[in-house]
Amino acid sequence: MTTPMKSIKKRLIPFTTAILATTILLAGCGQSGAAQNETAVAYTKGDKVVEVQFWTSAMEKVNQELVDEFNKTKGAELNIHVNAEYQGDYWETQKKINAAAIANTLPNVFIDEVAMTKGFADNDTIVDLEPYMKASDFDREDFKIGDLGNLYVGEDMYAFPHMRSLPVMYINKTLAKKVGMDEKGPQTFAELESYLKASYDATGKTPMYLFNNDFWVMEALLYSYSNTTILNEDETAANINSKGAVDLITYLNDLISKGYIKVLSATQQNDFIGAVSSPDTLLTFSSIGGYKIFLGLAAKTKTELGVAMIPAGEGGTRGVSVGGSNVYLANTGTDIEKAAAFEFMKWITDTDQAAYASVNTGYLPTRLSSLDTDIMKNTIAQLPGYQVAIDELKFSKMRPKNGVYHEVENLLVTRISDIWTDKLNIQESLDALKKDVDAILTR
Amino acid sequence: MKDWVRTPKFIIRLLLSLLLIIVFLAPFYWMFLSAFKTLDEVIAVPPKFWVDKLQWVNFQQAFTRINFMHYTKNSIIITAGTIIGQILVVVPAAYAFARYQFRGKGVLFGLVLFTMMIPGQLIFLPIFVMFAKTGLLNTYISLIVPFIASGMAIFMLRQTFMQIPDSILEAARLDNAGEFKIIRTIMLPMAIPTLSTLALLTFIGTWNSYFFPLAWTTTDAVRTLPLGVKKLQDAEGLNPHIVMAGNMMLILPVLIIFSFARKHIIKAFTYSGVK
């Protein structure tokens, strides 16, 4: 689940500056990037306890519970002790990792957002996991749920998946029935408009809300509506002024002008959460990670909330960005410490732990085998929306890997919002936006 | 009613003042409301501008979900340490710049002013590296020392010291008063409004500081209350009402101290020396 509150501009501005400064410094420090030929040893238990520093980000409680369990069980068996320290949200942790890399104070292993793999690898902050997997005969096949692009740099795996989420469409089944629409929700964008019209005509209230700050929703809409992407394939230029992007923004703009959609800004996160579970809202796009929260809130107003896939575009195109976090092995410590940290990475991403993390957070499981665990089966039986999200993983796409994408994302959020609020010319605005994004990408 | 009360100028000023009051108080009012609401009330659409029943339990939750006392203790130590350290460094520096003539004085004072123009985000990294290499990360020292030589404080206090007439200092010297005695018995008492203001500004800045305590700590050992409140926000589940209760507890000391020091602040900015 993305945590949109993290994006409060007041904090983002200094942090973006800081990240930029550290990125520039790191770029000067090492450019060997992603071309390491690590040698790795398999962990062998010694007499002394190996201390592993583990920096966590987001979902602190569940991560701490997992670490406690490791220390009591596998860690005790292998003489490995993990110390977890929470470092803040994804962007704060990224900044601290970059600073620690320069100061040679990296933790042995850490969690951060999925899209950061390439940036960390290019700066030699993390190590190639291939030699470690080879040394311990690790089978990666079980990870194959959804797009795994954000685990790789080139052909090599640089991260293990920790928690996964993706955007889905929430549908107010109670209202859908009331306004004469199928409670399964719209399957295409053409149907989406007919749903919104039916609800608006019947109630006179805004039937759909978009949370402007949740930009991965826009990524998914761009994939699905226009079969295109925010950035080009090698992430050196933006596609944001392409015909597909202009068509999507025009389509949304049309729905906004008809009163069918209201766009909420970064400071209106609470309003958006309220809107998802409101009896008057028909549809919203948001993370599956909020499913349990939304269900609980909707139940209070006796609203039945369902989950559907993001609508498909012409020809059935559909794509959703996969968000969440990865576990990274930091480029620090002795061989034995690295091997011990890798043992912990294997354990925390293993079947039972993946299921536990999923059930207790709302994120999706990261292993095929975790779908067969009892707790996961029970959860899916009770909350069928999870199955929709798991099915939607078939259409998942990796988020852009470029190290400056977060900065790009913030710019896109602001400028696309300006188009809607200031009623700007769409093509001209997106042309100007492309220039600015390209300047960041090629800086 | 007096005639001037009815003038358009008065009415416009009154309306503008009211508008400003609303603009400044609205975020506080919203925080106050949210801190006392239930979750359902906080996310209600359309929003409610009042509270049906005060939810004191939010404060209890904010207090128990994080180690509130630990973060508060750290905030008190770091804030007090910074204020005390600043006084020890800034007073002699400001006195020297105000009352001594020495080679390079202009350049040095220019450097002091220059420090005010450097954004913290640019210096956090070299300082982080320095602390990491000296083993000072996650210590109170790392969160106090970088802030005690404040360019702003030196500048403000120097201006105040310069307004004190030379005749008073000469009279003191004739009475065989040393420099330390002059600072202690003449300069500091006459600069109390400025010192109070500086102490308050430092208090607010340090107490509310989020960036540096986050950037220069990797464990919870010396983390401060704003980071604790942020932890409430990052926690699993949805709890904006509890975050707001945490924020209320965070800003309460600032509001209390500000209400006591308000007069001194106004005095400091209007201070014109000996009448």
Side-chain angles (χ1 to χ4, degrees):
Chain A
M1 179 184 187
T2 53
T3 49
M5 257 178 159
K6 66 188 177 272
S7 301
I8 294 168
K9 284 184 181 175
K10 194 173 153 190
R11 286 197 178 124
L12 275 181
I13 292 167
F15 274 109
T16 305
T17 313
I19 288 165
L20 185 63
T22 49
T23 305
I24 291 166
L25 276 165
L26 279 165
C29 287
Q31 280 294 339
S32 58
Q36 308 164 57
N37 274 318
E38 279 284 330
T39 51
V41 291
Y43 180 78
T44 44
K45 182 182 172 183
D47 294 336
K48 280 186 179 176
V49 174
V50 181
E51 294 288 338
V52 170
Q53 300 302 319
F54 175 42
W55 283 7
T56 67
S57 173
M59 303 295 151
E60 181 193 13
K61 187 168 166 279
V62 168
N63 284 321
Q64 184 63 58
E65 285 166 0
L66 289 171
V67 167
D68 292 344
E69 183 63 21
F70 176 83
N71 287 335
K72 270 194 291 186
T73 56
K74 188 81 174 177
E77 181 193 312
L78 296 176
N79 261 358
I80 300 170
H81 183 262
V82 176
N83 304 290
E85 289 291 351
Y86 177 71
Q87 302 301 330
D89 62 36
Y90 291 147
W91 321 113
E92 291 166 349
T93 304
Q94 182 195 30
K95 179 189 67 61
K96 296 179 82 167
I97 288 290
N98 285 342
I102 293 171
N104 287 325
T105 54
L106 277 171
N108 302 98
V109 58
F110 63 93
I111 286 171
D112 216 335
E113 211 255 349
V114 292
M116 296 174 183
T117 311
K118 187 169 183 299
F120 287 141
D122 283 348
N123 292 326
D124 286 344
T125 302
I126 56 174
V127 298
D128 186 347
L129 298 181
E130 296 291 340
Y132 291 88
M133 289 190 286
K134 199 174 170 189
S136 61
D137 205 17
F138 182 80
D139 181 10
R140 76 188 78 183
E141 288 302 304
D142 199 30
F143 282 143
K144 285 188 175 167
I145 302 184
D147 191 287
L148 301 179
N150 282 124
L151 303 177
Y152 285 85
V153 178
E155 298 295 313
D156 289 353
M157 195 178 224
Y158 272 75
F160 281 175
H162 183 43
M163 294 183 189
R164 283 288 179 272
S165 62
L166 76 181
V168 292
M169 182 168 59
Y170 288 97
I171 175 158
N172 179 338
K173 291 183 174 184
T174 313
L175 183 57
K177 273 184 261 181
K178 199 171 141 188
V179 300
M181 304 306 285
D182 190 336
E183 62 182 55
K184 283 182 184 166
Q187 304 299 305
T188 65
F189 285 95
E191 281 182 31
L192 177 79
E193 182 164 359
S194 62
Y195 267 71
L196 299 180
K197 185 175 185 314
S199 180
Y200 185 76
D201 290 347
T203 66
K205 292 178 178 167
T206 306
M208 183 170 199
Y209 289 83
L210 272 182
F211 185 50
N212 188 41
N213 211 48
D214 235 353
F215 197 75
W216 68 333
V217 167
M218 196 60 74
E219 291 169 15
L221 296 181
L222 203 54
Y223 282 128
S224 299
Y225 187 87
S226 308
N227 197 21
T228 187
T229 51
I230 300 286
L231 306 182
N232 66 1
E233 201 173 338
D234 59 1
E235 301 186 357
T236 53
N239 289 330
I240 198 66
N241 66 338
S242 63
K243 185 180 177 302
V246 173
D247 287 349
L248 172 67
I249 302 294
T250 306
Y251 169 76
L252 292 172
N253 201 47
D254 182 47
L255 297 180
I256 291 165
S257 63
K258 286 175 179 167
Y260 296 167
I261 293 181
K262 187 172 179 187
V263 181
L264 299 176
S265 66
T267 55
Q268 294 174 291
Q269 195 211 4
N270 290 340
D271 295 345
F272 180 73
I273 292 165
V276 177
S277 47
S278 164
D280 298 324
T281 306
L282 184 67
L283 299 167
T284 41
F285 298 129
S286 191
S287 169
I288 188 63
Y291 182 35
K292 274 199 271 189
I293 293 169
F294 297 142
L295 273 184
L297 293 170
K300 289 181 183 175
T301 55
K302 295 185 176 155
T303 300
E304 194 187 351
L305 199 64
V307 174
M309 289 191 202
I310 300 281
E314 282 179 22
T317 58
R318 186 178 262 139
V320 284
S321 297
V322 185
S325 59
N326 287 339
V327 195
Y328 300 98
L329 181 62
N331 188 9
T332 190
T334 61
D335 285 348
I336 194 72
E337 284 170 348
K338 280 181 182 167
F342 185 70
E343 283 299 318
F344 171 65
M345 281 178 70
K346 285 194 299 185
W347 183 87
I348 201 171
T349 55
D350 209 348
T351 305
D352 289 339
Q353 288 67 255
Y356 180 85
S358 172
V359 167
N360 285 283
T361 61
Y363 281 84
L364 296 176
T366 53
R367 276 182 175 270
L368 290 165
S369 57
S370 59
L371 296 173
D372 294 329
T373 58
D374 287 342
I375 55 167
M376 208 62 235
K377 281 180 181 168
N378 290 339
T379 303
I380 292 171
Q382 286 166 17
L383 307 166
Y386 278 128
Q387 188 59 56
V388 176
I390 290 165
D391 294 342
E392 199 185 44
L393 275 168
K394 285 198 287 271
F395 305 101
S396 59
K397 311 271 186 188
M398 71 167 179
R399 301 199 72 199
K401 286 181 187 174
N402 195 308
V404 294
Y405 185 66
H406 185 49
E407 191 184 346
V408 169
E409 195 179 356
N410 286 337
L411 184 69
L412 292 167
V413 165
T414 310
R415 299 277 284 276
I416 292 174
S417 178
D418 290 346
I419 293 174
W420 289 323
T421 51
D422 300 338
K423 303 194 189 316
L424 303 175
N425 178 287
I426 293 171
Q427 183 70 60
E428 283 174 15
S429 304
L430 294 181
D431 285 344
L433 181 54
K434 178 197 162 46
K435 272 186 194 170
D436 293 343
V437 172
D438 287 355
I440 295 172
L441 293 171
T442 54
R443 187 170 52 208
Chain B
M1 193 183 286
K2 290 177 182 172
D3 287 346
W4 60 267
V5 172
R6 295 197 194 107
T7 60
K9 192 177 168 187
F10 171 80
I11 292 167
I12 289 168
R13 280 184 63 178
L14 184 70
L15 288 174
L16 281 175
S17 303
L18 280 173
L19 186 69
L20 273 178
I21 288 169
I22 290 169
V23 166
F24 280 99
L25 286 186
F28 286 95
Y29 180 64
W30 197 249
M31 177 173 62
F32 177 82
L33 268 189
S34 302
F36 284 104
K37 282 179 174 179
T38 61
L39 174 60
D40 294 348
E41 287 172 325
V42 171
I43 63 168
V45 181
K48 282 172 75 174
F49 291 91
W50 64 93
V51 183
D52 291 330
K53 190 184 170 196
L54 297 178
Q55 299 295 321
W56 291 103
V57 70
N58 294 348
F59 290 85
Q60 188 196 343
Q61 289 283 314
F63 195 84
T64 52
R65 283 192 188 186
I66 56 171
N67 193 345
F68 201 91
M69 291 308 288
H70 171 74
Y71 293 118
T72 306
K73 179 197 79 181
N74 288 342
S75 280
I76 290 170
I77 291 170
I78 290 162
T79 305
T82 307
I83 292 172
I84 293 165
Q86 254 187 27
I87 290 169
L88 292 174
V89 169
V90 163
V91 170
Y95 181 71
F97 280 125
R99 291 293 164 185
Y100 281 93
Q101 294 304 323
F102 52 91
R103 186 176 290 184
K105 179 179 164 182
V107 174
L108 287 175
F109 190 62
L111 282 174
V112 168
L113 295 183
F114 183 67
T115 61
M116 293 160 60
M117 300 167 205
I118 303 172
Q121 286 72 35
L122 278 185
I123 57 163
F124 100 91
L125 189 58
I127 295 178
F128 176 88
V129 174
M130 189 176 72
F131 283 140
K133 288 190 187 304
T134 51
L136 288 172
L137 275 185
N138 301 312
T139 64
Y140 291 121
I141 290 173
S142 68
L143 297 179
I144 292 174
V145 170
F147 304 103
I148 59 176
S150 160
M152 171 77 175
I154 292 171
F155 171 74
M156 278 185 70
L157 205 54
R158 170 190 175 263
Q159 300 306 104
T160 303
F161 285 164
M162 285 174 74
Q163 289 175 20
I164 296 168
D166 288 342
S167 55
I168 295 177
L169 303 191
E170 281 161 16
R173 286 190 183 113
L174 283 173
D175 287 340
N176 289 326
E179 294 304 300
F180 180 69
K181 194 174 180 184
I182 288 172
I183 292 175
R184 191 169 51 83
T185 59
I186 298 173
M187 303 304 251
L188 288 184
M190 295 182 86
I192 279 177
T194 307
L195 284 170
S196 309
T197 305
L198 289 174
L200 183 75
L201 292 176
T202 304
F203 175 80
I204 294 171
T206 312
W207 187 265
N208 288 337
S209 178
Y210 178 81
F211 179 80
F212 291 108
L214 175 75
W216 290 339
T217 58
T218 57
T219 71
D220 255 358
V222 296
R223 283 182 180 156
T224 53
L225 197 50
L227 272 70
V229 173
K230 176 66 166 39
K231 253 190 173 184
L232 287 173
Q233 184 185 312
D234 292 346
E236 288 88 335
L238 181 66
N239 54 5
H241 51 319
I242 294 165
V243 174
M244 285 303 178
N247 275 324
M248 281 286 291
M249 291 197 278
L250 172 67
I251 67 154
L252 200 61
V254 176
L255 292 179
I256 292 169
I257 290 177
F258 179 79
S259 64
F260 282 112
R262 196 164 43 97
K263 281 183 187 169
H264 283 305
I265 294 171
I266 296 166
K267 234 180 181 180
F269 285 105
T270 55
Y271 185 65
S272 58
V274 180
K275 299 278 191 290

